[in-house]
Amino acid sequence: QWVNFNFSIVPDEVKKLLFGFYILQTLVISGDRDYNPSKITKQDLAEILKLDSNLYELSKRKPTKKFEISEILNFIWNNREIKIDPLKERFNLEIMAFAGGRNRSGLNRSANEFDYSLNPYAYVGLQGNLKIIDAKEARDKKEEILKQRATILNKIESIASKDLEIQNLQEQLEFMQLKENLYKVRVGEGVESRATRISNLEAILKAKQNQNKAKIDLEAMKLELLDFVKIETRDKLREMLK
């Protein structure tokens, strides 16, 4: 037989505590699935003794991964799918004039060596070279190339920044887990209010959500960057972005 229970009669502070326990049960914090949110263990007490050193080590931690931005940029630039080739420099206009004549025997002679009225083979003419691409077109093409390179660089920087954001969120989660362990003991001993612990648990949940969202954004950024290179080089780029 079912017993009806009216949850609305439970005090608000108890509701928050139950909600906090639910958060801990649904989160995997620092990879520890054996964490007991409702029981103080010897491990909890041992961790409190190491709290100061743990916090210090966490604050001094360096990023576990560093993107080689210049290396990635050069790889993409050399293997990009859509290439914009630079134009050659503008040629100067060249005009060359010439004149001459040919006598009946076929020998070349200058104009003052014979009478043109007797020579039907005299000639005169102009020859010119004009480049069809002007300086403005060359400048526009150069700006287009620089713009494409800047776009790729900006996307690489965004990926590196998002990766650091994920690492920072992980450090925040570990930091808040250390505080959670402390609050659990203090609440159990009656020297800390449950509200403080609940606030920290809510912050853990928010940081976890932000981290998951950042991971999704990072994968989308990587896929977008892969489209810039030729298909046969994408596996190599994917490896560089890990």
Side-chain angles (χ1 to χ4, degrees):
Q1 184 177 0
W2 292 96
V3 178
N4 294 326
F5 180 75
N6 187 359
F7 189 73
S8 62
I9 65 175
V10 178
D12 291 340
E13 187 173 334
V14 176
K15 289 180 182 178
K16 289 185 176 181
L17 184 60
L18 293 174
F19 177 68
F21 289 157
Y22 168 75
I23 293 174
L24 282 176
Q25 294 292 351
T26 56
L27 288 177
V28 178
I29 306 172
S30 302
D32 186 3
R33 295 180 177 272
D34 297 327
Y35 182 77
N36 190 330
S38 59
K39 181 181 179 181
I40 299 175
T41 65
K42 292 181 179 180
Q43 180 65 26
D44 296 331
L45 298 175
E47 290 296 327
I48 290 178
L49 294 177
K50 298 186 299 181
L51 181 62
D52 290 342
S53 61
N54 287 338
L55 291 175
Y56 177 77
E57 291 297 327
L58 187 58
S59 67
K60 299 294 289 184
R61 182 186 297 175
K62 296 181 180 179
T64 57
K65 180 173 60 177
K66 181 181 179 182
F67 282 103
E68 296 297 337
I69 294 179
S70 60
E71 181 182 352
I72 296 174
L73 175 62
N74 291 333
F75 179 83
I76 295 175
W77 191 253
N78 294 330
N79 298 280
R80 63 192 188 278
E81 181 70 32
I82 301 176
K83 288 190 176 182
I84 304 175
D85 296 323
L87 299 175
K88 295 181 179 180
E89 295 181 358
R90 184 169 70 96
F91 293 128
N92 294 325
L93 175 65
E94 297 179 355
I95 299 178
M96 180 177 62
F98 55 88
R102 190 182 298 275
N103 63 12
R104 295 181 184 276
S105 62
L107 298 176
N108 288 328
R109 295 187 178 183
S110 62
N112 57 3
E113 290 182 318
F114 54 85
D115 187 355
Y116 276 99
S117 63
L118 301 177
N119 188 349
Y121 298 101
Y123 58 88
V124 63
L126 294 175
Q127 178 177 337
N129 294 321
L130 177 63
K131 191 174 184 298
I132 61 174
I133 299 176
D134 60 20
K136 181 179 183 304
E137 288 180 291
R139 288 195 303 270
D140 291 344
K141 181 66 69 171
K142 184 176 181 179
E143 290 177 0
E144 190 176 354
I145 293 173
L146 293 175
K147 183 178 179 181
Q148 184 188 45
R149 190 174 177 88
T151 298
I152 296 173
L153 177 59
N154 183 65
K155 292 184 180 299
I156 298 173
E157 291 175 341
S158 296
I159 288 176
S161 177
K162 185 63 65 173
D163 185 75
L164 286 176
E165 179 185 342
I166 293 172
Q167 294 185 54
N168 291 336
L169 285 168
Q170 179 60 35
E171 292 174 357
Q172 291 179 32
L173 283 167
E174 294 179 28
F175 179 79
M176 287 184 289
Q177 171 57 29
L178 292 173
K179 292 200 302 181
E180 152 57 23
N181 185 65
L182 176 64
Y183 291 152
K184 181 178 72 169
V185 175
R186 288 176 62 84
V187 170
E189 296 296 325
V191 294
E192 189 75 65
S193 68
R194 289 188 176 91
T196 301
R197 187 183 180 193
I198 295 302
S199 296
N200 187 58
L201 295 175
E202 292 174 338
I204 290 174
L205 178 60
K206 183 63 176 178
K208 190 70 174 181
Q209 292 172 340
N210 291 339
Q211 188 184 57
N212 289 335
K213 176 63 167 58
K215 288 179 179 179
I216 295 174
D217 293 341
L218 178 61
E219 289 305 312
M221 291 177 179
K222 290 180 179 180
L223 289 174
E224 186 177 3
L225 195 61
L226 289 173
D227 288 337
F228 277 85
V229 298
K230 299 175 182 177
I231 295 178
E232 60 269 22
T233 63
R234 290 180 184 178
D235 287 341
K236 174 64 176 178
L237 178 58
R238 190 179 288 108
E239 186 69 23
M240 296 173 69
L241 294 174
K242 283 186 177 180

